[in-house]
Amino acid sequence: MTGATIWLTGLPSAGKTTIAYALADRLRADGRRTEVLDGDEIREFLSAGLGFGRADRHTNVQRIGFVAELLASHGVTVLVPVIAPYADSREAVRKRHAAAGTPYLEVHVATPVEVCSERDVKGLYAKQAAGEISGLTGVDDPYEEPTSPDLRIESQHQTVEESAAAVHALLATVPTPQHTTTTTPAPPRRAGGEAHERGTA
């Protein structure tokens, strides 16, 4: 089965992770091998020690992109609910996938910051307002919205299941690589030799 990476970008508390896990359930019911690369877990186990400056955020996104492409190239559908606030970081991940011929889809979970701050799943907006933290993406740190994502979701206007269904339908449009056949048999092979969501990107 063809693998692919679906990167869900958006502000903290936009609904990225919730949508990703709902989509993962759908894909597994379809018989797809699926993995969710959770940003908090990546920060803890793969990107421990990185800070929240632009360079470290870029490094974090590239590490996640590398792992995602590796898994997707082996037939896994990889869901990445990670902020990835900078356009050049996201574009570098897309180019990595394109160079390898691995399907890649960018989904912008475009929930407005006002809605995200009301949800405030991890209490980050409250902490920022109280001066306890700084560098909160979309508030006092930049978020460069995708200009032409493969799909844009406004989660405040639909249910989680509706959002997951929209991404599921998008994935169905990914073409299966065509393998050419020849009448000449191939020669035999020779044996031998992306913590808290504030910093998720």
Side-chain angles (χ1 to χ4, degrees):
M1 184 173 288
T2 305
T5 293
I6 302 176
W7 197 296
L8 297 96
T9 176
L11 297 175
S13 294
K16 303 179 300 298
T17 302
T18 304
I19 294 169
Y21 278 106
L23 177 59
D25 289 341
R26 282 175 171 264
L27 294 174
R28 289 171 182 141
D30 289 345
R32 281 181 174 265
R33 290 190 296 156
T34 305
E35 291 292 341
V36 177
L37 299 185
D38 182 272
D40 288 344
E41 293 178 354
I42 293 293
R43 274 281 178 177
E44 181 178 358
F45 297 108
L46 185 62
S47 293
L50 290 181
F52 304 110
R54 180 165 187 146
D56 279 0
R57 288 176 186 265
H58 178 78
T59 297
N60 185 48
V61 170
Q62 298 318 300
R63 289 179 181 177
I64 298 170
F66 171 80
V67 174
E69 195 284 319
L70 184 65
L71 289 170
S73 69
H74 286 82
V76 179
T77 301
V78 187
L79 310 180
V80 187
V82 171
I83 297 172
Y86 298 112
D88 58 349
S89 297
R90 298 192 302 266
E91 183 60 22
V93 173
R94 183 185 288 277
K95 288 181 176 178
R96 171 183 290 279
H97 282 70
T102 304
Y104 177 86
L105 297 169
E106 182 178 81
V107 176
H108 180 202
V109 184
T111 311
V113 66
E114 297 80 11
V115 176
C116 294
S117 63
E118 289 177 4
R119 294 176 178 174
D120 204 8
V121 177
K122 299 178 183 178
L124 300 178
Y125 292 91
K127 289 180 180 179
Q128 190 278 336
E132 297 176 18
I133 63 171
S134 61
L136 180 60
T137 301
V139 179
D140 59 352
D141 213 53
Y143 177 70
E144 299 171 1
E145 293 191 0
T147 56
S148 54
D150 297 287
L151 176 67
R152 183 172 279 108
I153 290 175
E154 296 183 353
S155 70
Q156 72 275 21
H157 296 316
Q158 57 191 44
T159 67
V160 171
E161 286 304 321
E162 287 171 338
S163 296
V167 186
H168 189 266
L170 174 67
L171 182 59
T173 68
V174 174
T176 301
Q178 299 298 313
H179 300 285
T180 57
T181 57
T182 65
T183 55
T184 305
R189 285 191 169 189
R190 297 176 60 187
E194 207 143 87
H196 45 63
E197 196 168 346
R198 169 171 69 107
T200 313

